[in-house]
Each structure stands twice: as C-alpha cells, then as structure tokens.
C-alpha cells in the first residue's frame, strides 16, 4: 500500500469535500443532502479494486489513498467529489502525528 508522503506537485486533483445533512421529507422520513464544506487540492492514488453486491447486482469498487493538507473537522461521514467521481471516506490518518497532512482511505463505487 503506498504510504510515502507525496511531493507538492502530486497535489493536482481539485476535490470538493462534502458533508451530509438529513432533511425531512413529506412522508415523515428523511433524505441526505450533500453540501460542500471546502474545495481542497489532493493527491489521489489507487490502492485496490473489487466488487460489492448492491441491489442484487455486482458493483465494481475501487479503493484510493487520498492525501490532502491538514484540515480540522474531516470525518468518515464525509465524501470527496473529484470530477464526476464520488469517493466515500472510510478511514482518516494523521501519518506523521504533526498535523501536516491527512491520509484518507476512500472507496469509489461505479
């Protein structure tokens, strides 16, 4: 698994960091509404690929390692949007303990 800190030139993907909010609907339930928290430059590295079962069919998935500069408040309930790709954040690591960068493991379903 790649884990070396990327160089500054690798931070060339512009991503929208988004958080979900539950909004009530007319049926008494709620739906998720995603809103942008920030735009961040990130380094995106593929880790692995596979398949999941969703709605009785196979859905291809890919895991990515995403690096970004340190930012408070990033949680595993958030997602990143990079172009037309949706990346659900699965894990968050401060790799050196000095709050310089965040290393995320994110999953993309196609």
């Amino acid at each position: 698994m790649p884990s070396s800190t990327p160089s500054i030139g690798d931070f060339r993907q512009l991503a929208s960091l988004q958080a979900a909010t539950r909004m009530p609907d007319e049926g008494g339930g709620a739906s998720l509404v995603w809103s942008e928290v920030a735009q961040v430059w990130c380094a995106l590295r593929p880790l692995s690929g596979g398949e999941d079962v969703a709605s009785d069919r196979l859905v291809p998935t890919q895991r990515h390692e995403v690096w970004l500069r340190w930012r408070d408040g990033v949680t595993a309930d958030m997602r990143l949007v990079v172009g037309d790709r949706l990346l659900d954040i699965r894990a968050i690591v401060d790799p050196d303990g000095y709050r310089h960068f965040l290393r995320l493991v994110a999953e993309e379903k196609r």
Side-chain angles (χ1 to χ4, degrees):
M1 171 182 344
S3 61
S4 62
T5 306
S7 69
I8 198 66
D10 293 330
F11 289 79
R12 58 179 163 257
Q13 300 284 334
L14 185 60
S16 172
L17 180 63
Q18 297 182 344
T21 305
R22 290 195 170 280
M23 298 296 289
D25 60 19
E26 293 99 26
S31 60
L32 289 180
V33 176
W34 291 93
S35 58
E36 185 174 88
V37 174
Q39 284 197 345
V40 294
W41 290 98
C42 64
L44 187 65
R45 298 174 175 172
L47 289 176
S48 65
E51 295 177 325
D52 274 344
V53 177
S55 302
D56 293 329
R57 66 183 183 98
L58 289 176
V59 177
T61 61
Q62 185 168 0
R63 286 194 170 244
H64 300 276
E65 178 181 65
V66 183
W67 286 79
L68 51 116
R69 290 193 179 272
W70 177 265
R71 175 173 197 87
D72 285 324
V74 177
T75 68
D77 296 329
M78 295 178 161
R79 73 179 184 184
L80 290 167
V81 178
V82 181
D84 61 349
R85 304 163 78 180
L86 298 175
L87 302 152
D88 294 322
I89 298 172
R90 300 291 184 216
I92 304 165
V93 177
D94 177 4
D96 62 3
Y98 292 110
R99 299 178 132 193
H100 293 149
F101 296 98
L102 283 177
R103 181 180 160 264
L104 312 176
V105 175
E107 187 173 79
E108 173 185 11
K109 293 185 180 175
R110 296 183 182 227

